[in-house]
Amino acid sequence: MNSSVRFEKENDETIRLPQTKLDKFFPALWRSSGIVSDLKNDHVDLFHGLTGEIPHGLNTREIKSVVTIHDLIFLRYPDLYKPIDRWIYNKKFRFAVTNADRIIAISEQTKSDIINYYNIPKNKIEVIYQGCHPCFKEPKSQAQKDVLRQQYNLPDEFLLSVGSIEKRKNVLQIVKAMHDIDIPLLIIGKETPYLNEIKTFIAAHKLENKIIIKQGFTVEELSTIYAMASIFIYPSIFEGFGIPIIEALYSGTPIITTNSGVFPEAGGPSSYYIDPSDVEEINAAIKTILTDTQLKTLMIQQGLRYAQKFNDEKIASDLIDCYKFLL
């Protein structure tokens, strides 16, 4: 960021790519160190690493740095990662949080993890939340919903789960809770080997008519599906933040989610919190929301109000304040 123009230009984007043959052949090496010379030649005053990484040598060129840390799940749940991946992530993240001038955590949960795992002073870290795609904030007409329902053969009513279908997301617990629920569950997400475990349970308990598994929607279609759902259910074990919860809040869909970690921070006071390991508690939460119209309405109204803390204007303002503080 050039200090002379840093907050004046709008819609001015420059993409910097490796220029030399060596840098093009080793782009990861360029990102980790070679880019610094290019930044200096481009008169950049501040570098923001958006994915937990900053290049080596910024301070020697008098370039300020900010790094965003999304989560440290690889340290909390090391069994979910390959040893080489854990080593790379730990090396990259430790260097970034130690050497960056400022650290942005996407939640209070992530801030706490950075302090605890890397012994970073809390006054070096600030929490700036993430938002979601604008289409989740746009009201959906009945005509839009009807077109999508017909196109993908979706039921009139359904529960919704969105996210990679992996063990940490805990979708099997929702499936287990469906044994006496009258409306089906729609699961949308990237498939992993964990899906085989879910399909085995579905077949063994004859739940084929109650569970729908799909993927491949555009973000616009997905936002409409959120708005169509009766309840959004997200009993994940751990997240750095949980953007699907924000998407559901903006969509006006009641939320059932985990009662610990980052989830109350993301879901706010109007979401329904459960023990993600307790199938009967999930089952009871679904039944309560489906049968209590007054509660459902209150959850929707309060959820939409709470979602405003994640709006783009506030996030942009917080980021600019962070940059100004350093420059």
Side-chain angles (χ1 to χ4, degrees):
M1 177 181 295
N2 188 309
S3 60
S4 64
V5 297
R6 61 180 181 260
F7 305 124
E8 297 173 3
K9 291 187 178 182
E10 294 181 0
N11 301 321
D12 182 14
E13 297 181 2
T14 301
I15 299 174
R16 194 63 152 103
L17 299 173
Q19 298 300 306
T20 69
K21 288 184 178 179
L22 183 63
D23 288 340
K24 289 177 181 178
F25 194 74
F26 297 106
L29 183 61
W30 175 75
R31 265 198 333 272
S32 66
S33 58
I35 191 175
V36 175
S37 295
D38 291 333
L39 294 171
K40 193 64 179 177
N41 291 337
D42 290 340
H43 307 291
V44 170
D45 297 318
L46 185 148
F47 178 90
H48 186 169
L50 297 172
T51 57
E53 181 178 12
I54 61 171
H56 293 248
L58 288 173
N59 56 341
T60 64
R61 300 299 187 98
E62 299 182 339
I63 299 173
K64 296 290 186 179
S65 59
V66 180
V67 66
T68 294
I69 303 295
H70 295 262
D71 62 68
L72 297 180
I73 296 175
F74 67 94
L75 293 176
R76 276 186 167 269
Y77 298 94
D79 56 307
L80 298 177
Y81 295 82
K82 297 176 182 178
I84 183 63
D85 290 337
R86 293 200 307 268
W87 184 84
I88 291 171
Y89 295 154
N90 190 43
K91 185 177 176 65
K92 179 175 72 171
F93 282 33
R94 185 182 293 278
F95 175 83
V97 298
T98 302
N99 291 277
D101 294 295
R102 198 72 177 153
I103 302 166
I104 293 174
I106 65 167
S107 66
E108 293 291 346
Q109 175 67 59
T110 295
K111 179 177 179 178
S112 176
D113 284 349
I114 295 168
I115 294 168
N116 293 333
Y117 283 106
Y118 291 128
N119 196 29
I120 300 297
K122 64 180 181 181
N123 60 3
K124 187 180 178 179
I125 311 166
E126 61 181 293
V127 174
I128 299 179
Y129 290 115
Q130 295 185 309
C132 66
H133 195 283
C135 65
F136 289 92
K137 306 171 186 179
E138 299 168 358
K140 303 299 188 291
S141 68
Q142 189 58 50
Q144 286 176 288
K145 296 177 182 179
D146 290 342
V147 167
L148 205 61
R149 197 184 313 277
Q150 184 174 9
Q151 182 178 352
Y152 291 103
N153 192 29
L154 299 176
D156 292 338
E157 292 183 280
F158 57 87
L159 311 175
L160 179 64
S161 171
V162 176
S164 297
I165 307 173
E166 57 184 277
K167 199 171 188 68
R168 176 170 55 89
K169 303 292 186 179
N170 210 27
V171 177
L172 181 56
Q173 295 297 83
I174 315 174
V175 174
K176 289 179 179 179
M178 292 296 297
H179 59 89
D180 63 348
I181 301 296
D182 291 334
I183 69 175
L185 169 67
L186 173 59
I187 300 170
I188 298 175
K190 179 183 177 182
E191 298 181 4
T192 72
Y194 175 63
L195 181 59
N196 295 328
E197 187 178 345
I198 295 172
K199 288 181 175 179
T200 298
F201 184 90
I202 291 171
H205 293 81
K206 297 180 171 55
L207 292 172
E208 291 88 350
N209 292 332
K210 288 191 174 185
I211 312 297
I212 305 165
I213 302 172
K214 291 182 179 289
Q215 60 177 324
F217 297 102
T218 67
V219 67
E220 289 80 10
E221 291 172 337
L222 187 61
S223 67
T224 302
I225 291 172
Y226 267 86
M228 294 163 64
S230 297
I231 305 172
F232 178 74
I233 313 177
Y234 198 69
S236 178
I237 301 300
F238 190 85
E239 300 289 336
F241 184 49
I243 288 179
I245 293 175
I246 309 306
E247 293 169 343
L249 288 174
Y250 273 113
S251 299
T253 305
I255 297 164
I256 297 172
T257 190
T258 301
N259 60 6
S260 60
V262 75
F263 304 101
E265 188 179 349
S270 66
S271 295
Y272 198 117
Y273 296 101
I274 47 85
D275 177 349
S277 67
D278 192 330
V279 172
E280 291 309 314
E281 195 171 328
I282 298 172
N283 176 274
I286 294 169
K287 289 178 180 177
T288 298
I289 297 171
L290 288 178
T291 56
D292 191 334
T293 304
Q294 186 174 359
L295 172 63
K296 185 174 182 178
T297 300
L298 188 64
M299 291 176 73
I300 292 170
Q301 292 173 345
Q302 292 185 352
L304 284 168
R305 282 199 295 270
Y306 184 76
Q308 301 315 305
K309 71 186 294 182
F310 308 115
N311 70 50
D312 294 341
E313 290 75 15
K314 175 168 175 46
I315 294 169
S317 176
D318 289 345
L319 282 170
I320 290 172
D321 287 344
C322 175
Y323 299 156
K324 285 180 176 178
F325 174 80
L326 290 176
L327 294 174

